[in-house]
PDB file of all heavy atoms in Angstrom:
ATOM      1  N   SER A1532      -5.188   2.079   1.810  1.00  0.00           N
ATOM      2  CA  SER A1532      -4.417   3.062   2.548  1.00  0.00           C
ATOM      3  C   SER A1532      -3.401   3.762   1.649  1.00  0.00           C
ATOM      4  O   SER A1532      -3.391   4.974   1.636  1.00  0.00           O
ATOM      5  CB  SER A1532      -3.749   2.514   3.803  1.00  0.00           C
ATOM      6  OG  SER A1532      -3.215   3.590   4.530  1.00  0.00           O
ATOM      7  N   PRO A1533      -2.525   3.066   0.912  1.00  0.00           N
ATOM      8  CA  PRO A1533      -1.580   3.798   0.071  1.00  0.00           C
ATOM      9  C   PRO A1533      -2.262   4.478  -1.126  1.00  0.00           C
ATOM     10  O   PRO A1533      -3.150   3.914  -1.758  1.00  0.00           O
ATOM     11  CB  PRO A1533      -0.616   2.730  -0.433  1.00  0.00           C
ATOM     12  CG  PRO A1533      -0.791   1.581   0.484  1.00  0.00           C
ATOM     13  CD  PRO A1533      -2.214   1.635   0.947  1.00  0.00           C
ATOM     14  N   ILE A1534      -1.819   5.688  -1.395  1.00  0.00           N
ATOM     15  CA  ILE A1534      -2.216   6.414  -2.600  1.00  0.00           C
ATOM     16  C   ILE A1534      -0.931   6.617  -3.389  1.00  0.00           C
ATOM     17  O   ILE A1534       0.013   7.242  -2.897  1.00  0.00           O
ATOM     18  CB  ILE A1534      -2.839   7.782  -2.270  1.00  0.00           C
ATOM     19  CG1 ILE A1534      -4.091   7.610  -1.403  1.00  0.00           C
ATOM     20  CG2 ILE A1534      -3.153   8.544  -3.554  1.00  0.00           C
ATOM     21  CD1 ILE A1534      -4.635   8.923  -0.851  1.00  0.00           C
ATOM     22  N   ILE A1535      -0.890   6.072  -4.603  1.00  0.00           N
ATOM     23  CA  ILE A1535       0.324   6.158  -5.416  1.00  0.00           C
ATOM     24  C   ILE A1535      -0.020   6.782  -6.759  1.00  0.00           C
ATOM     25  O   ILE A1535      -0.874   6.268  -7.490  1.00  0.00           O
ATOM     26  CB  ILE A1535       0.940   4.764  -5.647  1.00  0.00           C
ATOM     27  CG1 ILE A1535       1.237   4.078  -4.308  1.00  0.00           C
ATOM     28  CG2 ILE A1535       2.202   4.884  -6.506  1.00  0.00           C
ATOM     29  CD1 ILE A1535       1.671   2.633  -4.432  1.00  0.00           C
ATOM     30  N   ASP A1536       0.634   7.872  -7.074  1.00  0.00           N
ATOM     31  CA  ASP A1536       0.520   8.453  -8.406  1.00  0.00           C
ATOM     32  C   ASP A1536       1.484   7.678  -9.291  1.00  0.00           C
ATOM     33  O   ASP A1536       2.694   7.938  -9.284  1.00  0.00           O
ATOM     34  CB  ASP A1536       0.830   9.947  -8.376  1.00  0.00           C
ATOM     35  CG  ASP A1536      -0.272  10.738  -7.681  1.00  0.00           C
ATOM     36  OD1 ASP A1536      -1.457  10.446  -7.948  1.00  0.00           O
ATOM     37  OD2 ASP A1536       0.047  11.621  -6.880  1.00  0.00           O
ATOM     38  N   LEU A1537       0.930   6.691 -10.003  1.00  0.00           N
ATOM     39  CA  LEU A1537       1.749   5.820 -10.845  1.00  0.00           C
ATOM     40  C   LEU A1537       2.335   6.611 -12.003  1.00  0.00           C
ATOM     41  O   LEU A1537       1.625   7.323 -12.707  1.00  0.00           O
ATOM     42  CB  LEU A1537       0.910   4.666 -11.387  1.00  0.00           C
ATOM     43  CG  LEU A1537       0.331   3.703 -10.354  1.00  0.00           C
ATOM     44  CD1 LEU A1537      -0.627   2.729 -11.025  1.00  0.00           C
ATOM     45  CD2 LEU A1537       1.439   2.960  -9.632  1.00  0.00           C
ATOM     46  N   LEU A1538       3.625   6.478 -12.198  1.00  0.00           N
ATOM     47  CA  LEU A1538       4.321   7.118 -13.300  1.00  0.00           C
ATOM     48  C   LEU A1538       4.225   6.215 -14.526  1.00  0.00           C
ATOM     49  O   LEU A1538       3.935   5.015 -14.406  1.00  0.00           O
ATOM     50  CB  LEU A1538       5.783   7.347 -12.919  1.00  0.00           C
ATOM     51  CG  LEU A1538       6.016   8.218 -11.670  1.00  0.00           C
ATOM     52  CD1 LEU A1538       7.503   8.283 -11.344  1.00  0.00           C
ATOM     53  CD2 LEU A1538       5.430   9.602 -11.871  1.00  0.00           C
ATOM     54  N   PRO A1539       4.481   6.746 -15.715  1.00  0.00           N
ATOM     55  CA  PRO A1539       4.478   5.882 -16.900  1.00  0.00           C
ATOM     56  C   PRO A1539       5.431   4.702 -16.683  1.00  0.00           C
ATOM     57  O   PRO A1539       6.541   4.868 -16.179  1.00  0.00           O
ATOM     58  CB  PRO A1539       4.982   6.805 -18.010  1.00  0.00           C
ATOM     59  CG  PRO A1539       4.590   8.182 -17.551  1.00  0.00           C
ATOM     60  CD  PRO A1539       4.759   8.148 -16.048  1.00  0.00           C
ATOM     61  N   GLY A1540       4.978   3.520 -17.014  1.00  0.00           N
ATOM     62  CA  GLY A1540       5.775   2.313 -16.842  1.00  0.00           C
ATOM     63  C   GLY A1540       5.573   1.628 -15.496  1.00  0.00           C
ATOM     64  O   GLY A1540       5.982   0.490 -15.323  1.00  0.00           O
ATOM     65  N   GLU A1541       4.983   2.305 -14.536  1.00  0.00           N
ATOM     66  CA  GLU A1541       4.708   1.677 -13.252  1.00  0.00           C
ATOM     67  C   GLU A1541       3.358   0.982 -13.296  1.00  0.00           C
ATOM     68  O   GLU A1541       2.452   1.422 -13.999  1.00  0.00           O
ATOM     69  CB  GLU A1541       4.696   2.709 -12.115  1.00  0.00           C
ATOM     70  CG  GLU A1541       6.046   3.299 -11.820  1.00  0.00           C
ATOM     71  CD  GLU A1541       6.024   4.250 -10.638  1.00  0.00           C
ATOM     72  OE1 GLU A1541       4.952   4.533 -10.062  1.00  0.00           O
ATOM     73  OE2 GLU A1541       7.114   4.729 -10.289  1.00  0.00           O
ATOM     74  N   HIS A1542       3.233  -0.101 -12.535  1.00  0.00           N
ATOM     75  CA  HIS A1542       1.940  -0.771 -12.441  1.00  0.00           C
ATOM     76  C   HIS A1542       1.830  -1.509 -11.117  1.00  0.00           C
ATOM     77  O   HIS A1542       2.821  -1.740 -10.432  1.00  0.00           O
ATOM     78  CB  HIS A1542       1.709  -1.716 -13.627  1.00  0.00           C
ATOM     79  CG  HIS A1542       2.654  -2.863 -13.691  1.00  0.00           C
ATOM     80  ND1 HIS A1542       3.891  -2.785 -14.262  1.00  0.00           N
ATOM     81  CD2 HIS A1542       2.522  -4.136 -13.245  1.00  0.00           C
ATOM     82  CE1 HIS A1542       4.492  -3.953 -14.180  1.00  0.00           C
ATOM     83  NE2 HIS A1542       3.691  -4.798 -13.561  1.00  0.00           N
ATOM     84  N   VAL A1543       0.601  -1.840 -10.770  1.00  0.00           N
ATOM     85  CA  VAL A1543       0.339  -2.622  -9.570  1.00  0.00           C
ATOM     86  C   VAL A1543      -0.388  -3.893  -9.972  1.00  0.00           C
ATOM     87  O   VAL A1543      -1.157  -3.915 -10.930  1.00  0.00           O
ATOM     88  CB  VAL A1543      -0.480  -1.862  -8.509  1.00  0.00           C
ATOM     89  CG1 VAL A1543       0.277  -0.665  -7.983  1.00  0.00           C
ATOM     90  CG2 VAL A1543      -1.822  -1.449  -9.032  1.00  0.00           C
ATOM     91  N   VAL A1544      -0.110  -4.945  -9.226  1.00  0.00           N
ATOM     92  CA  VAL A1544      -0.803  -6.215  -9.384  1.00  0.00           C
ATOM     93  C   VAL A1544      -1.416  -6.510  -8.025  1.00  0.00           C
ATOM     94  O   VAL A1544      -0.701  -6.645  -7.029  1.00  0.00           O
ATOM     95  CB  VAL A1544       0.164  -7.344  -9.795  1.00  0.00           C
ATOM     96  CG1 VAL A1544      -0.566  -8.681  -9.856  1.00  0.00           C
ATOM     97  CG2 VAL A1544       0.828  -7.024 -11.119  1.00  0.00           C
ATOM     98  N   THR A1545      -2.726  -6.577  -7.957  1.00  0.00           N
ATOM     99  CA  THR A1545      -3.396  -6.834  -6.694  1.00  0.00           C
ATOM    100  C   THR A1545      -3.186  -8.283  -6.283  1.00  0.00           C
ATOM    101  O   THR A1545      -3.155  -9.181  -7.119  1.00  0.00           O
ATOM    102  CB  THR A1545      -4.894  -6.502  -6.801  1.00  0.00           C
ATOM    103  OG1 THR A1545      -5.463  -7.241  -7.876  1.00  0.00           O
ATOM    104  CG2 THR A1545      -5.109  -5.017  -7.051  1.00  0.00           C
ATOM    105  N   LEU A1546      -3.034  -8.502  -4.973  1.00  0.00           N
ATOM    106  CA  LEU A1546      -2.774  -9.848  -4.465  1.00  0.00           C
ATOM    107  C   LEU A1546      -3.932 -10.356  -3.618  1.00  0.00           C
ATOM    108  O   LEU A1546      -4.628 -11.272  -4.020  1.00  0.00           O
ATOM    109  CB  LEU A1546      -1.458  -9.871  -3.683  1.00  0.00           C
ATOM    110  CG  LEU A1546      -0.215  -9.477  -4.502  1.00  0.00           C
ATOM    111  CD1 LEU A1546       1.014  -9.368  -3.617  1.00  0.00           C
ATOM    112  CD2 LEU A1546       0.010 -10.469  -5.627  1.00  0.00           C
ATOM    113  N   ASP A1547      -4.133  -9.808  -2.432  1.00  0.00           N
ATOM    114  CA  ASP A1547      -5.234 -10.255  -1.578  1.00  0.00           C
ATOM    115  C   ASP A1547      -5.577  -9.189  -0.566  1.00  0.00           C
ATOM    116  O   ASP A1547      -4.877  -8.189  -0.442  1.00  0.00           O
ATOM    117  CB  ASP A1547      -4.909 -11.582  -0.884  1.00  0.00           C
ATOM    118  CG  ASP A1547      -3.621 -11.532  -0.069  1.00  0.00           C
ATOM    119  OD1 ASP A1547      -3.261 -10.465   0.444  1.00  0.00           O
ATOM    120  OD2 ASP A1547      -2.975 -12.581   0.059  1.00  0.00           O
ATOM    121  N   GLY A1548      -6.676  -9.393   0.146  1.00  0.00           N
ATOM    122  CA  GLY A1548      -7.097  -8.406   1.116  1.00  0.00           C
ATOM    123  C   GLY A1548      -7.990  -8.980   2.180  1.00  0.00           C
ATOM    124  O   GLY A1548      -8.392 -10.139   2.127  1.00  0.00           O
ATOM    125  N   GLY A1549      -8.312  -8.138   3.135  1.00  0.00           N
ATOM    126  CA  GLY A1549      -9.178  -8.512   4.234  1.00  0.00           C
ATOM    127  C   GLY A1549     -10.022  -7.318   4.633  1.00  0.00           C
ATOM    128  O   GLY A1549     -10.183  -6.375   3.868  1.00  0.00           O
ATOM    129  N   VAL A1550     -10.530  -7.317   5.845  1.00  0.00           N
ATOM    130  CA  VAL A1550     -11.433  -6.272   6.294  1.00  0.00           C
ATOM    131  C   VAL A1550     -10.752  -4.903   6.344  1.00  0.00           C
ATOM    132  O   VAL A1550     -11.290  -3.918   5.876  1.00  0.00           O
ATOM    133  CB  VAL A1550     -12.023  -6.627   7.681  1.00  0.00           C
ATOM    134  CG1 VAL A1550     -12.888  -5.508   8.195  1.00  0.00           C
ATOM    135  CG2 VAL A1550     -12.827  -7.906   7.588  1.00  0.00           C
ATOM    136  N   HIS A1551      -9.553  -4.818   6.909  1.00  0.00           N
ATOM    137  CA  HIS A1551      -8.912  -3.519   7.120  1.00  0.00           C
ATOM    138  C   HIS A1551      -7.682  -3.278   6.246  1.00  0.00           C
ATOM    139  O   HIS A1551      -7.069  -2.210   6.350  1.00  0.00           O
ATOM    140  CB  HIS A1551      -8.501  -3.367   8.583  1.00  0.00           C
ATOM    141  CG  HIS A1551      -9.647  -3.404   9.531  1.00  0.00           C
ATOM    142  ND1 HIS A1551     -10.603  -2.417   9.583  1.00  0.00           N
ATOM    143  CD2 HIS A1551     -10.009  -4.328  10.454  1.00  0.00           C
ATOM    144  CE1 HIS A1551     -11.491  -2.718  10.511  1.00  0.00           C
ATOM    145  NE2 HIS A1551     -11.157  -3.878  11.044  1.00  0.00           N
ATOM    146  N   GLY A1552      -7.303  -4.206   5.404  1.00  0.00           N
ATOM    147  CA  GLY A1552      -6.090  -4.008   4.634  1.00  0.00           C
ATOM    148  C   GLY A1552      -5.976  -4.958   3.466  1.00  0.00           C
ATOM    149  O   GLY A1552      -6.801  -5.846   3.282  1.00  0.00           O
ATOM    150  N   GLY A1553      -4.935  -4.752   2.673  1.00  0.00           N
ATOM    151  CA  GLY A1553      -4.716  -5.597   1.521  1.00  0.00           C
ATOM    152  C   GLY A1553      -3.300  -5.476   0.993  1.00  0.00           C
ATOM    153  O   GLY A1553      -2.575  -4.533   1.311  1.00  0.00           O
ATOM    154  N   ARG A1554      -2.919  -6.450   0.159  1.00  0.00           N
ATOM    155  CA  ARG A1554      -1.573  -6.510  -0.416  1.00  0.00           C
ATOM    156  C   ARG A1554      -1.616  -6.339  -1.923  1.00  0.00           C
ATOM    157  O   ARG A1554      -2.537  -6.816  -2.583  1.00  0.00           O
ATOM    158  CB  ARG A1554      -0.919  -7.863  -0.137  1.00  0.00           C
ATOM    159  CG  ARG A1554      -0.465  -8.089   1.243  1.00  0.00           C
ATOM    160  CD  ARG A1554       0.242  -9.439   1.438  1.00  0.00           C
ATOM    161  NE  ARG A1554      -0.340 -10.526   0.665  1.00  0.00           N
ATOM    162  CZ  ARG A1554       0.335 -11.280  -0.205  1.00  0.00           C
ATOM    163  NH1 ARG A1554       1.596 -11.075  -0.446  1.00  0.00           N
ATOM    164  NH2 ARG A1554      -0.280 -12.253  -0.846  1.00  0.00           N
ATOM    165  N   PHE A1555      -0.579  -5.690  -2.442  1.00  0.00           N
ATOM    166  CA  PHE A1555      -0.392  -5.610  -3.881  1.00  0.00           C
ATOM    167  C   PHE A1555       1.089  -5.504  -4.173  1.00  0.00           C
ATOM    168  O   PHE A1555       1.899  -5.212  -3.294  1.00  0.00           O
ATOM    169  CB  PHE A1555      -1.176  -4.435  -4.491  1.00  0.00           C
ATOM    170  CG  PHE A1555      -0.794  -3.074  -3.969  1.00  0.00           C
ATOM    171  CD1 PHE A1555       0.206  -2.323  -4.575  1.00  0.00           C
ATOM    172  CD2 PHE A1555      -1.455  -2.529  -2.883  1.00  0.00           C
ATOM    173  CE1 PHE A1555       0.544  -1.069  -4.104  1.00  0.00           C
ATOM    174  CE2 PHE A1555      -1.133  -1.271  -2.400  1.00  0.00           C
ATOM    175  CZ  PHE A1555      -0.129  -0.532  -3.014  1.00  0.00           C
ATOM    176  N   GLN A1556       1.442  -5.781  -5.410  1.00  0.00           N
ATOM    177  CA  GLN A1556       2.817  -5.653  -5.867  1.00  0.00           C
ATOM    178  C   GLN A1556       2.910  -4.400  -6.708  1.00  0.00           C
ATOM    179  O   GLN A1556       2.064  -4.158  -7.570  1.00  0.00           O
ATOM    180  CB  GLN A1556       3.200  -6.880  -6.690  1.00  0.00           C
ATOM    181  CG  GLN A1556       4.651  -6.929  -7.058  1.00  0.00           C
ATOM    182  CD  GLN A1556       4.974  -8.274  -7.663  1.00  0.00           C
ATOM    183  OE1 GLN A1556       5.036  -9.280  -6.964  1.00  0.00           O
ATOM    184  NE2 GLN A1556       5.154  -8.294  -8.964  1.00  0.00           N
ATOM    185  N   TRP A1557       3.925  -3.586  -6.474  1.00  0.00           N
ATOM    186  CA  TRP A1557       4.135  -2.327  -7.190  1.00  0.00           C
ATOM    187  C   TRP A1557       5.467  -2.433  -7.917  1.00  0.00           C
ATOM    188  O   TRP A1557       6.481  -2.728  -7.309  1.00  0.00           O
ATOM    189  CB  TRP A1557       4.121  -1.194  -6.182  1.00  0.00           C
ATOM    190  CG  TRP A1557       4.392   0.177  -6.684  1.00  0.00           C
ATOM    191  CD1 TRP A1557       4.209   0.671  -7.941  1.00  0.00           C
ATOM    192  CD2 TRP A1557       4.881   1.266  -5.907  1.00  0.00           C
ATOM    193  NE1 TRP A1557       4.548   2.001  -8.000  1.00  0.00           N
ATOM    194  CE2 TRP A1557       4.962   2.389  -6.753  1.00  0.00           C
ATOM    195  CE3 TRP A1557       5.254   1.409  -4.574  1.00  0.00           C
ATOM    196  CZ2 TRP A1557       5.408   3.634  -6.317  1.00  0.00           C
ATOM    197  CZ3 TRP A1557       5.698   2.640  -4.138  1.00  0.00           C
ATOM    198  CH2 TRP A1557       5.762   3.735  -5.004  1.00  0.00           C
ATOM    199  N   GLU A1558       5.445  -2.223  -9.220  1.00  0.00           N
ATOM    200  CA  GLU A1558       6.656  -2.335 -10.031  1.00  0.00           C
ATOM    201  C   GLU A1558       6.876  -1.084 -10.852  1.00  0.00           C
ATOM    202  O   GLU A1558       5.924  -0.430 -11.279  1.00  0.00           O
ATOM    203  CB  GLU A1558       6.548  -3.530 -10.987  1.00  0.00           C
ATOM    204  CG  GLU A1558       6.472  -4.858 -10.301  1.00  0.00           C
ATOM    205  CD  GLU A1558       6.434  -6.009 -11.280  1.00  0.00           C
ATOM    206  OE1 GLU A1558       7.192  -5.979 -12.277  1.00  0.00           O
ATOM    207  OE2 GLU A1558       5.640  -6.931 -11.059  1.00  0.00           O
ATOM    208  N   GLY A1559       8.141  -0.765 -11.070  1.00  0.00           N
ATOM    209  CA  GLY A1559       8.512   0.387 -11.885  1.00  0.00           C
ATOM    210  C   GLY A1559      10.006   0.388 -12.128  1.00  0.00           C
ATOM    211  O   GLY A1559      10.693  -0.616 -11.871  1.00  0.00           O
ATOM    212  N   ASP A1560      10.527   1.535 -12.569  1.00  0.00           N
ATOM    213  CA  ASP A1560      11.963   1.655 -12.811  1.00  0.00           C
ATOM    214  C   ASP A1560      12.784   1.385 -11.548  1.00  0.00           C
ATOM    215  O   ASP A1560      13.944   1.035 -11.629  1.00  0.00           O
ATOM    216  CB  ASP A1560      12.299   3.051 -13.338  1.00  0.00           C
ATOM    217  CG  ASP A1560      11.815   3.266 -14.759  1.00  0.00           C
ATOM    218  OD1 ASP A1560      11.524   2.270 -15.457  1.00  0.00           O
ATOM    219  OD2 ASP A1560      11.711   4.441 -15.178  1.00  0.00           O
ATOM    220  N   PHE A1561      12.180   1.572 -10.384  1.00  0.00           N
ATOM    221  CA  PHE A1561      12.847   1.352  -9.097  1.00  0.00           C
ATOM    222  C   PHE A1561      12.971  -0.131  -8.760  1.00  0.00           C
ATOM    223  O   PHE A1561      13.646  -0.507  -7.812  1.00  0.00           O
ATOM    224  CB  PHE A1561      12.091   2.063  -7.968  1.00  0.00           C
ATOM    225  CG  PHE A1561      10.648   1.644  -7.849  1.00  0.00           C
ATOM    226  CD1 PHE A1561      10.290   0.489  -7.173  1.00  0.00           C
ATOM    227  CD2 PHE A1561       9.655   2.395  -8.445  1.00  0.00           C
ATOM    228  CE1 PHE A1561       8.968   0.098  -7.085  1.00  0.00           C
ATOM    229  CE2 PHE A1561       8.331   2.016  -8.357  1.00  0.00           C
ATOM    230  CZ  PHE A1561       7.978   0.860  -7.677  1.00  0.00           C
ATOM    231  N   GLY A1562      12.267  -0.987  -9.495  1.00  0.00           N
ATOM    232  CA  GLY A1562      12.255  -2.417  -9.200  1.00  0.00           C
ATOM    233  C   GLY A1562      10.873  -2.857  -8.780  1.00  0.00           C
ATOM    234  O   GLY A1562       9.867  -2.375  -9.294  1.00  0.00           O
ATOM    235  N   LYS A1563      10.820  -3.756  -7.805  1.00  0.00           N
ATOM    236  CA  LYS A1563       9.558  -4.352  -7.379  1.00  0.00           C
ATOM    237  C   LYS A1563       9.449  -4.274  -5.862  1.00  0.00           C
ATOM    238  O   LYS A1563      10.408  -4.567  -5.152  1.00  0.00           O
ATOM    239  CB  LYS A1563       9.539  -5.812  -7.833  1.00  0.00           C
ATOM    240  CG  LYS A1563       8.253  -6.543  -7.636  1.00  0.00           C
ATOM    241  CD  LYS A1563       8.369  -8.020  -8.006  1.00  0.00           C
ATOM    242  CE  LYS A1563       8.807  -8.218  -9.438  1.00  0.00           C
ATOM    243  NZ  LYS A1563       8.789  -9.627  -9.847  1.00  0.00           N
ATOM    244  N   LEU A1564       8.252  -3.898  -5.382  1.00  0.00           N
ATOM    245  CA  LEU A1564       7.968  -3.882  -3.950  1.00  0.00           C
ATOM    246  C   LEU A1564       6.642  -4.587  -3.692  1.00  0.00           C
ATOM    247  O   LEU A1564       5.702  -4.412  -4.467  1.00  0.00           O
ATOM    248  CB  LEU A1564       7.846  -2.444  -3.426  1.00  0.00           C
ATOM    249  CG  LEU A1564       9.116  -1.612  -3.375  1.00  0.00           C
ATOM    250  CD1 LEU A1564       8.781  -0.149  -3.134  1.00  0.00           C
ATOM    251  CD2 LEU A1564      10.040  -2.135  -2.284  1.00  0.00           C
ATOM    252  N   GLU A1565       6.572  -5.355  -2.627  1.00  0.00           N
ATOM    253  CA  GLU A1565       5.292  -5.864  -2.170  1.00  0.00           C
ATOM    254  C   GLU A1565       4.801  -4.881  -1.119  1.00  0.00           C
ATOM    255  O   GLU A1565       5.561  -4.473  -0.237  1.00  0.00           O
ATOM    256  CB  GLU A1565       5.422  -7.259  -1.585  1.00  0.00           C
ATOM    257  CG  GLU A1565       4.078  -7.839  -1.218  1.00  0.00           C
ATOM    258  CD  GLU A1565       4.152  -9.294  -0.814  1.00  0.00           C
ATOM    259  OE1 GLU A1565       4.572 -10.113  -1.651  1.00  0.00           O
ATOM    260  OE2 GLU A1565       3.787  -9.591   0.333  1.00  0.00           O
ATOM    261  N   VAL A1566       3.536  -4.487  -1.232  1.00  0.00           N
ATOM    262  CA  VAL A1566       2.984  -3.472  -0.340  1.00  0.00           C
ATOM    263  C   VAL A1566       1.783  -4.047   0.408  1.00  0.00           C
ATOM    264  O   VAL A1566       0.908  -4.653  -0.196  1.00  0.00           O
ATOM    265  CB  VAL A1566       2.534  -2.223  -1.139  1.00  0.00           C
ATOM    266  CG1 VAL A1566       2.045  -1.136  -0.195  1.00  0.00           C
ATOM    267  CG2 VAL A1566       3.657  -1.710  -2.034  1.00  0.00           C
ATOM    268  N   PHE A1567       1.785  -3.852   1.725  1.00  0.00           N
ATOM    269  CA  PHE A1567       0.643  -4.216   2.546  1.00  0.00           C
ATOM    270  C   PHE A1567       0.118  -2.924   3.149  1.00  0.00           C
ATOM    271  O   PHE A1567       0.814  -2.276   3.934  1.00  0.00           O
ATOM    272  CB  PHE A1567       1.034  -5.212   3.640  1.00  0.00           C
ATOM    273  CG  PHE A1567      -0.122  -5.625   4.518  1.00  0.00           C
ATOM    274  CD1 PHE A1567      -1.233  -6.254   3.971  1.00  0.00           C
ATOM    275  CD2 PHE A1567      -0.110  -5.376   5.871  1.00  0.00           C
ATOM    276  CE1 PHE A1567      -2.304  -6.640   4.773  1.00  0.00           C
ATOM    277  CE2 PHE A1567      -1.168  -5.756   6.671  1.00  0.00           C
ATOM    278  CZ  PHE A1567      -2.269  -6.385   6.126  1.00  0.00           C
TER     279      PHE A1567
END
Side-chain angles (χ1 to χ4, degrees):
S1532 189
I1534 300 171
I1535 303 172
D1536 289 317
L1537 297 172
L1538 301 176
E1541 292 184 356
H1542 65 276
V1543 296
V1544 176
T1545 56
L1546 300 173
D1547 56 30
V1550 176
H1551 298 293
R1554 286 183 323 124
F1555 60 90
Q1556 187 171 287
W1557 177 25
E1558 296 183 42
D1560 289 342
F1561 57 82
K1563 187 185 302 186
L1564 290 168
E1565 185 172 299
V1566 184
F1567 180 60

